[in-house]
Amino acid sequence: MRDWAKKTILASGALRLAGDLHGPSAAILMYHSVLPDPSQQADSLGGIVHSESAFRAQMELLARDYHPISLDQTVEHLRTGEDFPKRSVVVTFDDGYVDNYEVALPILDQFAVPATFYVTVDCVENKRLPWPSRLRFAFRRTKQASWTDSESDAKIDSTTNSNPKPWNLSSPLNREEAFLAACDACCQLSGAVQEEFVGRIEHELQTSLPEQSGSLMMSYKQLRELAGHGHIVGSHTMTHPNMAQLRADDAQRELAESKQRLESTLGAPIKHFSYPCPALEPHWSERTLEQSRAVGYETAVTTNSGLTRRGDQLLCLKRLRPTKTLEGLRWNLESAFAGRAV
Ligand SMILES: [Zn+2]
C-alpha cells in the first residue's frame, strides 16, 4: 500500500476503532541495535540497526499513544488471565550490542519504557560479534573474485560426483547469495564447531572483522546496570545457532549454559529466552519448547510475527518487527491491533 493511503487510513482512526473491537492483546517489539549513524556498521550488522533519531521518535510515540509494559507484567497478565491494558507494547532487544546500553538506555529511561535485553553470552564474554555479522563482513569486504565452500562441496562431490562449484563474488547480489548460503550452513552449528566454520570462511575469503568490533558488544557490568535501571536481562543462547536445527544435546547446552552463566555473573534469576533466527525455518520446535521449560525458562520469544493474547503459550511468544521509521511502526502496530497480518 502507498504511504499516502496508509496516512489517510491512520488519520481516519478506522484501524484504531477496529483494534478496540479485537480484544486486549500486547505487541512485543523486536529491536537489535540503535546507532547515531546506522550506515557505519552496514557491512557487519546489516539492516538490523535503527537510527537514534528514529528510535527516539518511536519510544516517544509508544509513551504517548500506547501502553508500554514490561515482559514480567506480560507474564502476569497471561498467568492470571487478566486483560492486557489497551494497546500494550513490550520492547525487546536481541543480541547484546553495546549501543543498547549507550544509546537506547537513556532514551528508554527518558520515556519510562521498560525493556528486555536478550544477550548472546559467548559474544559478551569473548567480545565478538555474533557469527552472522562476521560472515556478512567477510562476504562484503573480501577481495576474492570467487569462493568455493570446501567442506560442503566435498559432501556434494561424494553424492553427485560433480566438481566443486565456486560462488561468483563479482557483484553485491552474488556476494549476498553466497553469504546466505553460508548462513544456511552455519546456523546448524554451535559452539567450537561453529567457530571453526566461521574461522575457515574468514580464512578462505582472507578477511576478518577489525579487532575493535568486539567493543560493539555489552559487558557484564553494563548488563548489571541495565538491570539496576529496572530493565530485564534474558538469554539469546551461547553462540546464536538456529535451535531447531541443532542436535538435542547441543540445544540443551545453549539453553542451560547461557542461563547459568548469566545467573552466576549477574546474581539474579534469568527467566526469559529469545530464539535466534539467523537462517532457515523453523527456528524453534516442540522439542526446544520442552527443553526450555525443563531448563527453567518462564518465557521464550520467537521471530514469528503476531500479537500476544490471553491463552498464548508462554514459551513461543510472537513478536513484531519495528520498521525503521516512525510512521512504519505506527502502521504496523495499528494494523496488528486491528487484526491484520503484518
Ligand atoms: Zn539474534
Side-chain angles (χ1 to χ4, degrees), residues 130-144:
W131 64 262
S133 292
R134 291 170 61 188
L135 290 186
R136 183 180 289 107
F137 187 88
F139 281 99
R140 288 200 183 181
R141 292 287 185 91
T142 183
K143 293 192 166 53
Q144 310 287 78

Side-chain angles (χ1 to χ4, degrees), residues 32 94-95 97 120 130 236 240 274-277:
H32 285 87
D94 279 3
D95 294 350
Y97 301 112
T120 318
H236 193 45
H240 209 273
S274 163
Y275 281 98
C277 184

Side-chain angles (χ1 to χ4, degrees), residues 43 135-148 167-171 175 201-208:
D43 285 348
L135 290 186
R136 183 180 289 107
F137 187 88
F139 281 99
R140 288 200 183 181
R141 292 287 185 91
T142 183
K143 293 192 166 53
Q144 310 287 78
S146 66
W147 168 66
T148 303
W167 287 89
N168 176 1
L169 301 177
S170 59
S171 75
R175 285 166 183 252
I201 289 188
E202 287 178 335
H203 177 74
E204 286 171 359
L205 294 177
Q206 294 181 20
T207 178
S208 63

Side-chain angles (χ1 to χ4, degrees), residues 20-307:
D20 289 346
L21 300 174
H22 260 82
S25 54
I28 305 179
L29 298 173
M30 173 179 60
Y31 288 91
H32 285 87
S33 169
V34 183
L35 289 169
D37 176 11
S39 68
Q40 271 182 338
Q41 302 298 336
D43 285 348
S44 54
L45 300 185
I48 59 173
V49 188
H50 276 68
S51 76
E52 182 179 3
S53 59
F55 181 75
R56 181 185 299 282
Q58 291 190 344
M59 293 306 107
E60 191 179 5
L61 173 76
L62 297 188
R64 190 183 63 229
D65 285 356
Y66 295 86
H67 193 114
I69 60 173
S70 73
L71 192 61
D72 283 337
Q73 287 171 298
T74 310
V75 173
E76 214 37 47
H77 283 286
L78 288 169
R79 285 233 169 100
T80 60
E82 190 189 320
D83 282 344
F84 286 109
K86 265 189 189 168
R87 304 158 70 72
S88 289
V89 289
V90 185
V91 170
T92 70
F93 290 82
D94 279 3
D95 294 350
Y97 301 112
V98 73
D99 58 67
N100 295 182
Y101 173 84
E102 291 176 345
V103 185
L105 177 64
I107 298 171
L108 291 164
D109 288 352
Q110 181 187 344
F111 294 107
V113 175
T116 297
F117 299 86
Y118 299 105
V119 299
T120 318
V121 175
D122 180 69
C123 296
V124 164
E125 293 190 346
N126 292 301
K127 289 277 165 211
R128 58 181 169 216
L129 288 174
W131 64 262
S133 292
R134 291 170 61 188
L135 290 186
R136 183 180 289 107
F137 187 88
F139 281 99
R140 288 200 183 181
R141 292 287 185 91
T142 183
K143 293 192 166 53
Q144 310 287 78
S146 66
W147 168 66
T148 303
D149 185 349
S150 49
E151 285 200 3
S152 70
D153 281 332
K155 274 184 231 150
I156 292 165
D157 269 352
S158 63
T159 52
T160 66
N161 289 325
S162 63
N163 289 325
K165 181 175 149 279
W167 287 89
N168 176 1
L169 301 177
S170 59
S171 75
L173 189 63
N174 294 143
R175 285 166 183 252
E176 184 70 9
E177 283 170 358
F179 161 66
L180 292 175
C183 286
D184 284 354
C186 194
C187 79
Q188 301 175 57
L189 311 172
S190 69
V193 183
Q194 178 202 91
E195 179 59 30
E196 199 180 305
F197 179 94
V198 177
R200 176 172 64 80
I201 289 188
E202 287 178 335
H203 177 74
E204 286 171 359
L205 294 177
Q206 294 181 20
T207 178
S208 63
L209 271 165
E211 193 86 348
Q212 64 266 31
S213 69
S215 62
L216 292 175
M217 303 311 295
M218 270 190 283
S219 66
Y220 274 127
K221 183 169 177 285
Q222 289 164 332
L223 290 175
R224 260 186 227 106
E225 287 190 39
L226 290 179
H229 282 239
H231 300 291
I232 295 171
V233 176
S235 163
H236 193 45
T237 72
M238 289 299 292
T239 61
H240 209 273
N242 180 322
M243 295 291 287
Q245 313 288 330
L246 292 189
R247 284 193 339 223
D249 55 342
D250 287 333
Q252 176 72 18
R253 191 174 43 78
E254 292 282 340
L255 286 163
E257 195 176 331
S258 59
K259 186 174 193 294
Q260 284 154 10
R261 294 189 81 93
L262 286 171
E263 285 179 341
S264 64
T265 314
L266 301 177
I270 297 296
K271 302 181 291 185
H272 305 289
F273 180 77
S274 163
Y275 281 98
C277 184
L280 298 181
E281 283 293 349
H283 66 294
W284 65 275
S285 65
E286 285 301 320
R287 187 203 72 200
T288 65
L289 192 154
E290 279 313 314
Q291 285 182 305
S292 66
R293 190 198 314 279
V295 163
Y297 288 105
E298 283 183 18
T299 75
V301 290
T302 68
T303 61
N304 295 132
S305 184
L307 296 178

